[in-house]
């Protein structure tokens, strides 16, 4: 056991996002290719010497306490194992907030891993993933990390080989998007065949380590809802493609857009252009990152 842990909570993007159907319980069944990127939130967990959980975040608009998914993750394990000793959790946010990159879910995943390690609970990764599902559909994947096929409501995960190495530009525009509202407006039965991404083809391309095959199959059915409402997303995609991206796509329900580059020089040039586009008014945050391999240490 240890009294102090420093953890990295990595963000994710969706290389492919297809919605298969809407279930009677209101949830949507999906088929997605999830990919961790090297951009991460920094999380510090300390035993506090007193009962209770205290959370502190670096951004004033990210909630502390029970409104924070990381708090609920710690409480889930402390309650289950009847641990009376309290913890303090400090989160430095680097992943864009409300950006389609699972920022809250990955913080919760890191805290589950940290509490398990700190109190020597002995839970396996799969056991942690099962508990993470109680917090949100993305949390199990954020524990797994790497490249994975996600099905069901996002909880059925199949590990895939590491995706081919590349450079990734992330750009969040100056808009906010409600995931619930986007899914609520999606009419699965009205989608055209060509609007559904080729998820099986992308799996094969990843298995062959064929980056061109991956970028050729990038697709997200939620773009059909989000881009008409926020054309800035389409503008960013075009800029990325015009500056050498092999492919560009909105992640999740948006609004973050990513571009995949073979050349670091081209990726850096695209970053610079996006930061200056429309006198800096087009994007709120721009990052140059890469795919993250699950075998790297947390």
């Amino acid at each position: 056991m240890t009294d102090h842990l420093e953890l990295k909570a990595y963000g994710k993007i969706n290389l492919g996002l297809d919605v298969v159907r809407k279930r009677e319980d209101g949830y949507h069944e999906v088929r997605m290719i999830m990919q961790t990127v090297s951009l991460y939130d920094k999380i510090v967990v300390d035993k506090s010497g007193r009962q209770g959980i205290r959370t502190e975040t670096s951004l004033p608009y990210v909630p502390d306490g029970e409104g924070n998914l990381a708090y609920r993750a710690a409480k889930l394990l402390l309650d289950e194992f009847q641990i009376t000793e309290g913890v303090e959790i400090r989160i430095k946010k680097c992943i864009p907030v409300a950006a389609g990159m699972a920022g809250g879910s990955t913080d919760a995943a890191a805290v589950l891993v940290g509490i398990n390690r700190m109190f020597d609970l002995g839970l396996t990764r799969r056991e942690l993933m099962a508990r993470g599902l109680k917090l949100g559909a993305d949390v199990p994947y954020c524990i797994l990390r790497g490249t994975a096929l996600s099905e069901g409501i996002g909880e059925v995960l199949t590990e895939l080989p590491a995706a081919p190495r590349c450079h990734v530009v992330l750009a969040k525009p100056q808009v906010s998007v409600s995931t619930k509202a986007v899914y609520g407006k999606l009419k699965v039965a009205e989608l055209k065949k060509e609007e559904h991404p080729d998820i099986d083809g992308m799996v094969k391309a990843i298995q062959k380590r064929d980056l061109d095959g991956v970028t050729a199959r990038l697709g997200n059915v939620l773009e059909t809802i989000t881009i008409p409402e926020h054309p800035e997303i389409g503008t960013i995609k075009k800029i990325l493609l015009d500056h050498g991206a092999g492919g560009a796509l909105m992640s999740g329900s948006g609004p973050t857009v990513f571009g995949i580059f073979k050349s670091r020089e081209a990726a850096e040039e695209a970053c610079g252009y996006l930061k200056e586009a429309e006198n800096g008014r087009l994007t709120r945050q721009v990052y140059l990152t890469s795919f993250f391999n699950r075998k790297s240490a947390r």
Side-chain angles (χ1 to χ4, degrees), residues 197-214:
D198 180 8
I199 299 296
D200 292 332
M202 183 175 287
V203 169
K204 292 177 181 177
I206 290 169
Q207 291 170 337
K208 294 177 181 177
R209 298 192 60 76
D210 175 9
L211 184 60
D212 291 334
V214 171

Side-chain angles (χ1 to χ4, degrees), residues 77-78 81 83 112 115-123:
L77 289 185
L78 295 180
F81 289 89
I83 298 169
L112 288 175
I115 295 295
N116 184 48
R117 188 184 307 168
M118 177 169 279
F119 292 97
D120 197 19
L121 303 181
L123 296 172

